[in-house]
Amino acid sequence: MGKAGGPSPLSTGPPGMVTSQGFLEEAGSETGRRVATGGRTPGGSALCLWAHQLGKAYGVESHVLSPAETKALYPLMNVDDLYGTLYVPHDGTMDPAGTCSALARAAATRGAQNMPNVRDHDASIYLRLQGDALSVGGYEANPIFWEEVSDKFAFGLFDLDWEVFAQHIEGAVNRVPVLEKTGVKSTVCGPESFTPDHKPLMGEAPELRGFFLGCGFNSAGMMLGGGCGQELAHWVVHGRPEKDMYSYDIRRFHCSLTGHQRWVRERSHESYARNYAVVFPHDEPLAGRSMRTGPLHQELLAQGCMFQERHGWERPGWFTPEGTAPVLPYDYYGAYGNQAHQDHAYGKLLADEHTFDFPPHHNVIKQECLACRGAAAVFDMSYFGKFYLVGEDASKAADWLFSADVSRPPGSTVYTCMLNHRGGTESDLTVSRLAPGPRGSPLAPAFEGDGYYLAVGGAAVQHNWSYILSVLQDRRFRCQLIDSSEDLGLISIQGPASRAILREVLDADLSNEAFPFSTHKLVTAAGHLVRAMRLSFVGELGWELHIPRPSCVPVYRAVMAAGAKHGLVPAGYRAIDNLSIEKGYRHWHADLRPDDSPLEAGLAFACKLKAATPFLGREALEEQRAQGLRRRLVCFTVDERVPIFGLEAIWRDGHVVGHTRRAGFGFAIDKSIAYGYVRDPSGGLVSPDFVKSGDYALERMGVTYPAQAHLKSPFDPDNKRVKGIY
């Protein structure tokens, strides 16, 4: 893609400033200051305040300025339409030649000063000082695609297309009016490589061991180059980076997507065109949709499903009572001669979710959650990864790969983690032991030796697949990993009425004695063979049905018919997120990352440390256990009715001790809930007593709210409901 303009807007150096057309105002209410909703985009103020509060957790200095203070700092700026700005003294821009020159000058002169850089997210422009000139650039909605890349073009430039770049002039002149009478010294227009999610591509290629990528820096190479280079070097030498780099890891994309021209083109365009757009908590892409759909897609669409996109999959987000809302083909936001969609039910419902308050469909999701707690809900989880680990050394591989003891009899299912050599969590998943046999089907492939069925989170399928394969290869285990993700559907029926519903569908005894928690069986459902597992990710009595793809629709319809008189409702992942956080269940790469240990995350029960069996990461966990924990994952609830979304600063006794990783709303307890890792500012151990002895608050949009810390789940802490005790 071509980009008209100059330097990167996301880099470091001189001070930076972010403008906002919505900001704090004084209000005569119990909570004091509130976020105003005036101006072109009320989300702009929330963006500023969110960055301001998160910076406190990382020690990044920033200041909230009034329009008058902004004018004094940047006299050229028009502040008439601003409520305020976020000023970051140590932010800015650098380029290779300028960096060298600046270092030389600084050594001789000590203390030369540049105006601050300015980024206006509403106008999608940036302005920064470059020598004796002011550089103006931005991100347009209609960037030019470079269709014929030539290896002879290296470090070349294009002629500036003023028709494309002109859209930035109006915003730049509005923000800095003197530009209207200022001449143009020079122009720069060169190609930019933008990835489908606006993040770099790093790490070992899934297709070729030993081949590492470090590319696709999306106009932010100077900002990211130092840290990414250091992590990539560590990655090559030690097999993994020191820090959590999953968001940049090439394995975050499924192999079916990376070579798909339409998906890459559409998503790369949207990531560029929306580079300065406010990212709302429940936003979804409109590009590259409907790439991978589950067997129940049409059934759910007819029920009013609002789909979310994850890893190319269309998974159910929530169900609207307003009718069907299909995702339409990407319209490039009206660019390149495309007609922008005028009547797009999905787009309109999604736009309604663009808020940092409780979303307008909060009560719809509430009904899904309370139906699950009070009766039953059915969740389509077909986008989950479904692998078989089989062969002569499958048990040896399982013992080494999985932190929990999975060497149990066939019919057992175990929740476990996979760790790296530093004790960090590469995955959490369920592992089911299979009985050997001649059967060859998606439910039970033929194998000799031992066999396990693995169910992994859908958004991390490629990461799990690549990680398991690399371990099998490095340890030379004689076993096979089979991917049946596309061959099987998965529906989960959860809630106090789930047993009564499934008794009408399954030909199995579902009593506690015959079908206890964490077990699985091959059974018949409405005449179709399925694998039933008694598991829950929402903290209720329930079963998962793993179903061959051709059988998914008839089995789903049978479940819905049987559940009609029991209050069964279809529900989506927005409900799962809130139900699971209310119960305290972990989400990988939210509560659990490759730099978090299961001990820190409260998952010691998923580690076979009492047994003598070696497993990957064991030595690191034993050392950490002996030395004590320096941080600990803690649950927080807020009594005041305010939405919490994650990344809020955590205050303990007047000090910032971390930030929230994940947040949601617990409808059964009627409170906002958040999880975050707490550390001791003095560097000491974080014991349960340390956690319980502090006074806590969460900072949301510049306002702190008292919070209660919990070491156990605030909902059903004794785990009675998953046992069927109500």
Side-chain angles (χ1 to χ4, degrees):
M1 289 188 193
K3 168 189 155 185
S8 160
L10 301 174
S11 45
T12 58
M17 183 182 298
V18 179
T19 67
S20 170
Q21 277 71 48
F23 214 67
L24 288 176
E25 66 177 5
E26 295 295 332
S29 65
E30 296 181 43
T31 56
R33 297 177 293 173
R34 294 287 186 184
V35 176
T37 57
R40 286 182 286 166
T41 56
S45 61
L47 181 69
C48 291
L49 291 168
W50 208 341
H52 179 57
Q53 71 191 21
L54 182 60
K56 294 179 181 179
Y58 286 98
V60 177
E61 180 186 358
S62 65
H63 305 277
V64 175
L65 304 183
S66 67
E69 291 170 326
T70 303
K71 186 72 172 179
L73 183 65
Y74 201 102
L76 298 179
M77 185 183 297
N78 169 29
V79 299
D80 293 343
D81 59 345
L82 298 182
Y83 287 96
T85 59
L86 177 67
Y87 174 54
V88 185
H90 299 290
D91 180 43
T93 306
M94 55 195 262
D95 63 85
T99 299
C100 295
S101 299
L103 289 173
R105 288 197 305 269
T109 62
R110 292 275 186 167
Q113 296 182 350
N114 298 332
M115 286 188 297
N117 296 320
V118 173
R119 304 180 186 100
D120 188 330
H121 287 256
D122 296 293
S124 192
I125 60 167
Y126 59 90
L127 305 97
R128 65 112 165 169
L129 198 64
Q130 186 168 338
D132 60 351
L134 189 64
S135 177
V136 178
Y139 295 84
E140 55 274 357
N142 58 333
I144 300 172
F145 284 93
W146 194 14
E147 306 290 356
E148 299 180 5
V149 180
S150 170
D151 57 2
K152 299 179 181 179
F153 185 81
F155 301 104
L157 294 172
F158 301 120
D159 292 331
L160 180 63
D161 188 326
W162 284 99
E163 184 177 349
V164 174
F165 185 70
Q167 58 196 283
H168 299 306
I169 299 299
E170 181 180 353
V173 169
N174 175 66
R175 189 57 53 225
V176 182
V178 71
L179 289 176
E180 189 172 17
K181 301 178 181 178
T182 303
V184 177
K185 180 180 180 181
S186 62
T187 64
V188 177
C189 182
E192 292 278 14
S193 58
F194 269 69
T195 62
D197 63 355
H198 196 222
K199 296 175 183 175
L201 305 177
M202 294 181 63
E204 192 173 32
E207 304 87 356
L208 184 61
R209 295 294 304 278
F211 183 83
F212 287 80
L213 296 95
C215 54
F217 282 87
N218 308 276
S219 187
M222 281 302 294
M223 177 184 74
L224 299 176
C228 287
Q230 176 175 307
E231 291 300 315
L232 187 58
H234 198 278
W235 212 329
V236 172
V237 173
H238 299 285
R240 61 154 280 105
E242 282 193 293
K243 297 179 174 61
D244 167 46
M245 298 294 288
Y246 177 73
S247 295
Y248 292 178
D249 194 327
I250 180 64
R251 295 174 298 176
R252 70 188 184 272
F253 296 127
H254 193 264
C255 59
S256 66
L257 301 178
T258 52
H260 197 287
Q261 185 176 5
R262 177 177 73 85
W263 184 80
V264 172
R265 184 184 182 92
E266 290 183 3
R267 290 293 294 267
S268 297
H269 172 268
E270 190 174 45
S271 75
Y272 181 99
R274 301 195 65 208
N275 183 39
Y276 267 11
V278 176
V279 180
F280 292 95
H282 301 299
D283 207 357
E284 294 289 330
L286 295 176
R289 297 297 295 266
S290 302
M291 294 296 301
R292 306 171 73 195
T293 57
L296 297 175
H297 185 83
Q298 292 300 320
E299 292 284 313
L300 303 182
L301 183 64
Q303 292 177 310
C305 183
M306 275 287 291
F307 286 96
Q308 300 174 328
E309 189 275 342
R310 297 294 184 275
H311 216 61
W313 274 100
E314 297 291 325
R315 75 175 193 183
W318 51 282
F319 289 79
T320 173
E322 300 177 28
T324 60
V327 180
L328 299 182
Y330 187 50
D331 62 6
Y332 286 90
Y333 294 89
Y336 317 114
N338 290 289
Q339 181 67 38
H341 296 310
Q342 300 299 315
D343 186 19
H344 190 187
Y346 183 90
K348 291 178 180 178
L349 288 169
L350 187 63
D352 290 341
E353 297 280 292
H354 290 175
T355 177
F356 289 96
D357 203 339
F358 288 115
H361 305 100
H362 186 70
N363 286 332
V364 176
I365 297 163
K366 174 182 178 180
Q367 296 307 314
E368 294 181 14
C369 291
L370 294 183
C372 182
R373 294 284 187 235
V378 57
F379 303 94
D380 175 23
M381 302 173 70
S382 297
Y383 100 116
F384 258 47
K386 310 164 197 80
F387 306 152
Y388 291 100
L389 179 65
V390 297
E392 183 179 348
D393 287 345
S395 286
K396 293 180 180 178
D399 285 343
W400 179 251
L401 272 167
F402 305 126
S403 63
D405 181 9
V406 298
S407 58
R408 301 184 183 184
S412 63
T413 298
V414 177
Y415 171 78
T416 183
C417 297
M418 286 194 297
L419 310 181
N420 53 52
H421 69 276
R422 297 178 60 194
T425 310
E426 293 288 342
S427 172
D428 71 329
L429 65 160
T430 57
V431 177
S432 301
R433 185 72 180 268
L434 303 177
R439 188 188 304 273
S441 76
L443 285 171
F447 64 90
E448 294 182 358
D450 297 305
Y452 299 86
Y453 176 59
L454 284 52
V456 303
V461 167
Q462 188 68 56
H463 175 80
N464 279 265
W465 175 264
S466 299
Y467 188 72
I468 295 172
L469 274 185
S470 67
V471 174
L472 297 181
Q473 293 169 1
D474 292 344
R475 302 286 294 190
R476 299 186 178 180
F477 289 121
R478 292 168 295 180
C479 53
Q480 185 181 11
L481 188 66
I482 303 170
D483 187 357
S484 294
S485 301
E486 301 279 358
D487 303 323
L488 295 170
L490 196 173
I491 61 174
S492 180
I493 301 92
Q494 301 289 324
S498 60
R499 179 180 278 133
I501 294 169
L502 290 177
R503 277 176 174 157
E504 301 182 28
V505 179
L506 305 182
D507 66 340
D509 183 350
L510 302 182
S511 66
N512 288 329
E513 296 73 22
F515 210 142
F517 186 73
S518 284
T519 62
H520 66 93
K521 295 180 181 180
L522 288 178
V523 301
T524 299
H528 299 263
L529 189 66
V530 306
R531 187 177 301 280
M533 296 186 181
R534 186 171 167 190
L535 293 172
S536 178
F537 196 47
V538 297
E540 296 293 333
L541 172 69
W543 280 262
E544 292 179 359
L545 303 183
H546 298 246
I547 313 167
R549 192 178 184 100
S551 301
C552 286
V553 170
V555 171
Y556 179 78
R557 289 176 176 173
V559 169
M560 293 301 296
K565 61 179 174 291
H566 295 282
L568 179 70
V569 302
Y573 271 83
R574 290 277 288 277
I576 289 178
D577 288 341
N578 289 301
L579 291 165
S580 65
I581 199 171
E582 185 175 56
K583 185 63 185 74
Y585 291 155
R586 311 302 191 232
H587 281 203
W588 189 79
H589 209 250
D591 312 304
L592 282 171
R593 303 190 313 198
D595 54 349
D596 303 321
S597 84
L599 303 185
E600 296 168 330
L603 297 179
F605 69 89
C607 301
K608 48 181 179 273
L609 292 174
K610 293 182 180 179
T613 309
F615 63 90
L616 182 56
R618 177 176 185 133
E619 290 79 6
L621 292 190
E622 290 177 330
E623 182 179 356
Q624 187 179 60
R625 184 175 61 173
Q627 294 180 352
L629 301 182
R630 300 284 172 177
R631 61 193 187 112
R632 189 180 294 267
L633 186 64
V634 177
C635 172
F636 297 96
T637 57
V638 178
D639 288 333
E640 189 158 352
R641 197 173 184 82
V642 292
I644 305 292
F645 297 110
L647 301 183
E648 291 82 10
I650 301 171
W651 292 83
R652 179 186 183 274
D653 296 340
H655 300 280
V656 175
V657 295
H659 65 81
T660 61
R661 286 275 190 89
R662 185 166 68 105
F665 196 85
F667 291 102
I669 65 173
D670 200 31
K671 292 181 181 180
S672 287
I673 306 172
Y675 276 81
Y677 285 85
V678 168
R679 54 180 168 77
D680 183 348
S682 66
L685 299 179
V686 179
S687 65
D689 287 339
F690 175 88
V691 173
K692 291 186 289 187
S693 64
D695 289 327
Y696 293 91
L698 301 184
E699 181 176 342
R700 178 192 183 275
M701 305 301 180
V703 180
T704 57
Y705 297 91
Q708 289 73 47
H710 306 266
L711 289 172
K712 283 189 174 184
S713 164
F715 175 79
D716 189 27
D718 298 324
N719 290 323
K720 292 182 178 180
R721 298 172 77 96
V722 296
K723 302 171 186 176
I725 303 173
Y726 286 91

